[in-house]
């Protein structure tokens, strides 16, 4: 997406250097119009253009990111002997970031406090292509409604320099709900490892969305733009029938959409492979006694036989950026679900998978979208397929 030079100066002084925002120098209304134009161009061969609704933006388009991941690198010229920052565009170099306009203020405040605690510890940072150091970086997720913050130290082993005392000190900071360790033996461009260990405070952090409280483990996914997530939920609920017998929520995470539509269905199943998300959802089922909701643990393509028996009336697809596995689309194509909602974070995957659903006899009758991450090229799209 091109950005005309005549648009206002970006709010952030690091624009053009930081790898986060690509379009901050473009007036926000223009950004939204550009994204709708992009939708027309990508989906015109798949549906009537009057099905495509205007892109819904965030107000204001700043302070929306409720998750912060900051890599660490060694720096012997300062105390502590490392620094945290954000990656420079197309580089592994770190930029010193005193503040970020798109981050929620609570993430920045929490990260600053944690850095002060780390300054008095024996923890040192790792570096690319080096065996020295322990800390890869720091993760913070916050719930704007309650002010609670989840803190994750990303380290290369289970053994924390100085022991767990550092976690007990961090959890005493204002607003910190729990402290966790993400173990990643090798440093890579993506900080977090597959294993998450609870260190101090609450095992799960409560995140509020659409008037419900979700108790989420550090290793489970939850939307990182909660303002945008509220809009996304409204769009999804608006496309679903008010009553239907059976729901299949595929790539369902902690069960957000299954839970938020509980009064609409008689039975539901959530397919999810992440063990932390599955445990969170099982805990909610135990606490609420909602026996009409089942969980199919495993890769979605491997549990389709369980998901499709009995045949669901409504299917919600919320796959990762890579889209759905071909077997998932193939299996959906041979059943007769009345409605399939595809929630896409990648237009490439949506076009690929959507064309397969069209070939199977479905048609698109509505497309909505939300600008979850203003000033980036990202767009969250909800497409309704019907028969």
């Amino acid at each position: 997406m091109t950005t005309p030079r005549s648009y206002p100066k970006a709010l952030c002084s690091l624009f053009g250097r930081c790898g986060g925002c690509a379009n901050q120098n473009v007036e926000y209304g223009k950004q939204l119009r550009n994204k709708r134009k992009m939708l027309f161009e990508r989906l015109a061969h798949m549906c009537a253009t009057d099905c495509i609704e205007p892109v819904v933006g965030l107000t204001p388009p700043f302070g929306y990111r409720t998750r912060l991941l900051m890599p660490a690198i060694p720096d012997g010229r300062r105390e502590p002997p490392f620094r945290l920052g954000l990656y420079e565009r197309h580089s592994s170099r770190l930029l010193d970031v005193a503040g970020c306009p798109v981050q929620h203020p609570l993430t920045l405040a929490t990260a600053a406090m944690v850095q002060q605690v780390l300054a008095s510890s024996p923890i040192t940072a790792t570096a690319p292509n080096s065996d020295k150091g322990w800390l890869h970086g720091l993760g913070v997720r916050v719930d704007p409604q309650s002010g609670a913050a989840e803190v994750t130290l990303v380290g290369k082993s289970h053994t924390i320099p100085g022991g767990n005392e550092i976690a007990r000190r961090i959890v005493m900071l204002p607003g910190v709900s729990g402290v966790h360790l993400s173990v990643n033996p090798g440093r890579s461009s993506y900080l977090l490892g597959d294993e998450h260990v609870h260190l101090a405070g609450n095992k799960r952090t409560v995140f509020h969305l659409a008037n419900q409280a979700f108790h989420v483990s550090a290793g489970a996914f939850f939307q990182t733009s909660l303002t945008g997530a509220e809009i996304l939920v409204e769009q999804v609920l608006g496309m679903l029938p008010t009553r239907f017998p059976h729901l299949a929520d595929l790539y369902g995470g902690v069960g957000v959409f299954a839970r938020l539509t509980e009064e609409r269905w008689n039975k539901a199943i959530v397919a999810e492979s992440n063990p932390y998300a599955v445990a969170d959802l099982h805990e909610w089922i135990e606490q609420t006694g909602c026996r009409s909701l089942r969980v199919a643990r495993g890769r979605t393509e491997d549990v389709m036989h369980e998901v499709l028996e009995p045949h669901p009336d409504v299917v919600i697809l919320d796959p990762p950026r890579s889209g759905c596995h071909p077997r998932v689309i193939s299996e959906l194509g041979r059943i007769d679900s009345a409605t399939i909602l595809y929630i896409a974070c990648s237009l490439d995957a949506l076009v690929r998978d959507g064309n397969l659903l069209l070939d199977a006899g479905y048609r698109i009758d509505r497309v909505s979208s939300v600008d979850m991450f203003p000033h980036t090229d990202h767009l969250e799209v909800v497409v309704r397929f019907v028969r």
Side-chain angles (χ1 to χ4, degrees), residues 182-228:
S182 177
V183 182
N184 190 350
R187 180 165 182 140
S188 62
S189 58
Y190 185 70
L191 281 181
L192 298 175
D194 293 330
E195 183 182 3
H196 289 74
V197 180
H198 171 244
L199 298 177
N202 295 328
K203 182 179 178 181
R204 294 180 172 92
T205 300
V206 179
F207 296 94
H208 292 87
L209 177 62
N211 298 317
Q212 284 207 32
F214 293 86
H215 296 250
V216 182
S217 297
F221 172 81
F222 204 74
Q223 285 290 355
T224 58
S225 169
L226 289 184
T227 303

Side-chain angles (χ1 to χ4, degrees), residues 142-205:
V142 301
D143 176 53
Q145 180 171 322
S146 67
E150 168 200 275
V151 173
T152 300
L153 302 176
V154 187
K156 71 178 184 181
S157 69
H158 292 84
T159 305
I160 305 173
N164 277 16
E165 176 62 25
I166 189 68
R168 290 188 286 268
R169 295 180 62 197
I170 291 173
V171 83
M172 295 172 64
L173 294 172
V176 174
S177 169
V179 182
H180 310 266
L181 168 64
S182 177
V183 182
N184 190 350
R187 180 165 182 140
S188 62
S189 58
Y190 185 70
L191 281 181
L192 298 175
D194 293 330
E195 183 182 3
H196 289 74
V197 180
H198 171 244
L199 298 177
N202 295 328
K203 182 179 178 181
R204 294 180 172 92
T205 300

Side-chain angles (χ1 to χ4, degrees), residues 318-341:
D318 191 6
R321 184 167 296 276
S322 57
C324 297
H325 190 281
R327 291 211 309 268
V328 173
I329 300 298
S330 175
E331 290 294 315
L332 291 177
R334 69 177 182 80
I335 66 172
D336 194 26
S337 296
T339 303
I340 296 178
L341 281 195

Side-chain angles (χ1 to χ4, degrees), residues 232-312:
L232 178 67
V233 164
E234 183 178 345
Q235 292 179 341
V236 169
L237 297 186
M239 289 194 189
L240 293 176
T242 55
R243 289 294 304 175
F244 49 93
H246 187 202
L247 169 70
D249 186 0
L250 310 187
Y251 308 94
V254 297
V256 169
F257 294 115
R259 285 180 51 178
L260 294 178
T261 57
E262 183 184 0
E263 295 182 354
R264 303 192 186 192
W265 44 260
N266 298 328
K267 293 184 179 181
I269 186 168
V270 173
E272 176 56 44
S273 61
N274 182 290
Y276 301 101
V278 170
D280 293 343
L281 185 51
H282 275 305
E283 178 69 15
W284 179 81
I285 292 172
E286 289 297 318
Q287 292 293 326
T288 61
C290 183
R291 303 303 178 191
S292 54
L293 175 60
R294 296 185 297 119
V295 183
R297 177 178 175 177
R299 295 183 303 178
T300 299
E301 62 269 22
D302 293 334
V303 296
M304 289 299 288
H305 63 287
E306 183 178 355
V307 167
L308 300 182
E309 186 59 48
H311 287 180

